[in-house]
């Protein structure tokens, strides 16, 4: 930032005259924010297309979007304790047992948001468990969703 100020006397003068009103957001950074927000909006549309208003679902997203995706639905973090995000599971067996515990409580979908796609590579046993037992209801570059009430084909 300072190198740009030193190189441009008019920019430096403007900042000195109006230090709080001049925005220094780079256009590339602005476009990244716009793209990020668009992707979140599209993810919300993806999720809404799968669920009924009464559905409960797990959102695997490292607790980034849960509040935004709820839209009146019951969304549970994964892993969770007393409704609070509890971090990533230590292993595949823990992930599977927690999924089954939450499924027994009426959770209908598990949805992975793109920032947590790494889970599906890291927890290969968990991923294989999901693919072999439940129908993949939606897969794109934003979400991978499994319907926990429909068996795999």
């Amino acid at each position: 930032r300072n190198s740009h100020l030193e190189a441009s006397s008019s920019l430096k003068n403007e900042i000195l005259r109006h230090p709080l009103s001049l925005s220094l957001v780079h256009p590339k950074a602005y476009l990244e924010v716009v793209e990020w927000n668009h992707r979140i909006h599209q993810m919300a549309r993806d999720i809404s297309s799968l669920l009924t208003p009464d559905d409960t679902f797990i959102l695997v997203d490292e607790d980034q979007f849960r509040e935004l995706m709820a839209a009146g639905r019951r969304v549970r973090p994964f892993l969770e304790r007393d409704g609070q995000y509890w971090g990533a599971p230590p292993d595949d067996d823990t992930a599977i047992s927690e999924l089954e515990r939450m499924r027994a409580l009426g959770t209908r979908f598990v949805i992975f948001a793109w920032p947590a796609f790494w889970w599906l590579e890291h927890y290969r046993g968990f991923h294989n468990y999901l693919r072999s037992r439940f129908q993949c209801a939606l897969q794109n570059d934003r979400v991978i969703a499994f319907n926990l009430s429909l068996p795999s084909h």
Side-chain angles (χ1 to χ4, degrees):
R1 176 181 164 180
N2 289 336
S3 62
H4 293 297
L5 293 177
E6 297 304 321
S8 173
S9 61
S10 61
L11 180 59
K12 184 176 181 179
N13 290 336
E14 190 64 24
I15 285 190
L16 292 173
R17 285 190 302 144
H18 307 287
L20 298 177
S21 65
L22 185 62
S23 173
L24 293 178
V25 175
H26 190 280
K28 183 178 178 184
Y30 173 78
L31 290 175
E32 288 171 358
V33 169
V34 168
E35 181 180 316
W36 180 265
N37 287 334
H38 179 72
R39 196 166 191 191
I40 292 169
H41 176 75
Q42 290 298 109
M43 181 175 64
R45 290 180 63 185
D46 292 338
I47 291 171
S48 291
S49 74
L50 293 172
L51 305 173
T52 68
D54 296 332
D55 284 334
T56 299
F57 69 102
I58 295 167
L59 184 60
V60 182
D61 69 339
E62 299 178 338
D63 210 34
Q64 293 185 41
F65 310 116
R66 184 168 39 121
E67 298 300 320
L68 295 172
M69 297 300 127
R73 295 181 185 91
R74 292 175 302 272
V75 57
R76 295 187 170 135
F78 194 77
L79 298 177
E80 67 91 23
R81 293 289 178 271
D82 300 320
Q84 300 302 310
Y85 179 62
W86 205 252
D91 54 40
D92 291 303
D93 291 338
T94 302
I96 292 167
S97 66
E98 282 299 298
L99 175 79
E100 288 303 331
R101 179 185 68 81
M102 295 172 81
R103 191 166 83 106
L105 295 172
T107 301
R108 189 163 166 235
F109 283 89
V110 60
I111 301 173
F112 292 81
W114 82 92
F117 281 178
W118 67 269
W119 279 50
L120 299 171
E121 291 180 25
H122 183 76
Y123 300 104
R124 291 184 191 273
F126 181 49
H127 187 197
N128 291 337
Y129 182 85
L130 290 168
R131 292 272 179 198
S132 67
R133 286 175 176 74
F134 307 108
Q135 184 181 83
C136 182
L138 180 63
Q139 181 170 346
N140 59 35
D141 65 338
R142 297 174 298 274
V143 298
I144 300 174
F146 294 92
N147 187 330
L148 301 177
S149 60
L150 292 178
S152 152
H153 297 301

